[in-house]
Amino acid sequence: QVQLVESGGGLVQLGGSLRLTCAASGSIFRLIDMAWYRQVPGKQRELVAAITSGGSTNYADSVKGRFTISRDNAKNTVYLQMNSLKPEDTAVYYCNGRYRDYAGGQGTQVTVSS
């Protein structure tokens, strides 16, 4: 069983940075392809970045060059480093499996002011 808890969100100004953390329980975490998603009210959940169990990554076009996803399997943790933040990055950010959903947290709010 895998459970996920996100943290690290907050309020930042245009151009600022945040690092999101997703802490996972469960011994199979290291085998799971993971992803960060974001959602704003009234819109569908959007895939932001993904990382395979082996560390290969891919990103939404809107965040390429600004966001970096990484993982530490020894700590059962996935990170999302977000730089050069824009107001359009404002959303609730969630982590979960890339190809299936696990029991997750409440997400973490990221708000970027202009």
Side-chain angles (χ1 to χ4, degrees), residues 14-92:
L14 174 68
S17 297
L18 283 173
R19 188 195 198 199
L20 305 185
T21 298
C22 173
S25 64
S27 59
I28 65 169
F29 170 80
R30 61 184 177 84
L31 303 176
I32 300 171
D33 294 352
M34 295 294 296
W36 282 96
Y37 303 86
R38 64 187 181 188
Q39 190 167 24
V40 297
K43 292 190 176 181
Q44 287 190 328
R45 187 175 74 168
E46 174 189 16
L47 175 66
V48 176
I51 186 166
T52 68
S53 58
S56 297
T57 59
N58 67 283
Y59 299 90
D61 287 344
S62 58
V63 307
K64 278 181 183 176
R66 300 188 298 121
F67 290 12
T68 302
I69 188 171
S70 61
R71 67 191 297 161
D72 185 338
N73 289 337
K75 296 182 178 179
N76 272 19
T77 304
V78 179
Y79 305 98
L80 185 67
Q81 177 67 44
M82 306 187 296
N83 300 327
S84 302
L85 282 162
K86 306 175 180 179
E88 51 263 44
D89 295 319
T90 295
V92 178

